[in-house]
Amino acid sequence: MRPMRIPPDHPLLLRIVDDLAANGWSQQNIFLTDALTLELAAECRKRSERGELAPAAVGRGLTQEVREGIRGDRIQWLEAGEVTACDRYLELMDSLRQALNRGLFLGLEDFESHFALYPPGAFYLKHIDRFRDDDRRMISTVLYLNPAWLPEHGGQLRMSLRDEVEHDVQPIGGCLVVFLSGEMPHEVLPSTRERLSLTGWFRRRGDDPF
Ligand code: OGA
Ligand code: MN
């Protein structure tokens, strides 16, 4: 049987909306069931083994380039309608999009998301998620897919919060982090083992007239 869709007024989603309004970010350690987390992790590994993940680029459009000194992950963008587990994730994120629009009036129109695999030693230097030439990205999300992650494995997401406070997130399976794309500098520390995630961005409509 097809699982029921999570409604946009689910307490978990409302908590994320409240956190974003108050602090600009939210961390939910138990966002996904273990079963769905494992299915998504298996799907990410499968795509990696098939050679479908490509070195991630920095920037957008003509300024896009692969620079391993900045980020060493490999990615693949998600499409709807390919795999049930991915569609479940996209449906969940669409409920979150509706919750954000209702609570924060952000006018978020779509969600773009990719699998990311950081091989051992890979990192992503401190950055923000909004491009100079494209400010449609409003809210960033990172969902971790690593079942048994320990602090000594590294790979933390280090967020620079207000007043120079830093916060480290362990990339433990099922944990979701959400933050304002344009305001939250963050980096991924090198890890000693393969690190899997689904990263995504809620976007508003562009000013582009075409
Ligand atoms: C990104 C990013 C964070 C993470 O892909 O832009 O910052 O923890 N990812 O994977
Ligand atoms: Mn980022």
Side-chain angles (χ1 to χ4, degrees):
M1 202 181 78
R2 211 178 141 64
M4 245 179 36
R5 208 188 152 99
I6 277 207
D9 60 353
H10 189 286
L12 186 58
L13 302 184
L14 296 182
R15 216 155 51 220
I16 295 173
V17 172
D18 287 349
D19 286 349
L20 275 175
N23 308 313
W25 67 286
S26 180
Q27 176 177 347
Q28 301 301 323
N29 291 332
I30 311 177
F31 184 73
L32 273 200
T33 61
D34 286 347
L36 186 52
T37 305
L38 286 174
E39 277 181 58
L40 290 168
E43 181 63 23
C44 182
R45 273 200 205 89
K46 188 155 87 187
R47 292 177 184 212
S48 170
E49 280 156 20
R50 285 197 216 123
E52 293 174 1
L53 272 55
V58 177
R60 194 158 189 105
L62 291 174
T63 61
Q64 184 169 322
E65 51 178 321
V66 174
R67 282 193 277 177
E68 278 176 21
I70 297 179
R71 63 184 294 190
D73 55 330
R74 303 178 69 84
I75 67 164
Q76 190 191 37
W77 292 96
L78 283 197
E79 305 280 349
E82 288 180 343
V83 183
T84 312
C86 295
D87 285 351
R88 288 276 296 129
Y89 158 75
L90 290 173
E91 279 176 11
L92 257 172
M93 298 314 273
D94 198 61
S95 294
L96 176 56
R97 184 185 66 81
Q98 292 173 45
L100 292 166
N101 281 344
R102 287 183 192 182
L104 304 174
F105 308 104
L106 287 174
L108 304 172
E109 291 221 315
D110 70 5
F111 180 66
E112 56 176 2
S113 181
H114 63 60
F115 279 115
L117 184 152
Y118 287 73
F123 54 83
Y124 194 160
L125 292 185
K126 194 163 171 177
H127 65 280
I128 59 169
D129 281 352
R130 196 178 271 182
F131 302 115
R132 231 168 301 157
D133 53 349
D134 181 350
D135 62 359
R136 283 176 300 160
R137 285 181 172 181
M138 299 293 289
I139 308 273
S140 303
T141 67
V142 194
L143 175 65
Y144 298 104
L145 305 175
N146 311 290
W149 196 272
L150 298 172
E152 54 264 38
H153 298 148
Q156 289 80 11
L157 168 67
R158 177 161 292 170
M159 304 171 70
S160 305
L161 307 179
R162 287 167 196 156
D163 306 322
E164 293 178 31
V165 174
E166 288 187 331
H167 173 71
D168 282 358
V169 179
Q170 305 295 334
I172 299 173
C175 171
L176 177 78
V177 178
V178 183
F179 54 90
L180 300 179
S181 304
E183 289 178 24
M184 193 72 66
H186 56 281
E187 65 189 301
V188 178
L189 304 184
S191 56
T192 58
R193 52 177 61 198
E194 201 170 79
R195 175 193 193 270
L196 308 179
S197 59
L198 274 165
T199 305
W201 295 272
F202 292 109
R203 300 188 303 183
R204 62 178 178 199
R205 193 203 304 267
D207 298 329
D208 196 324
F210 303 111

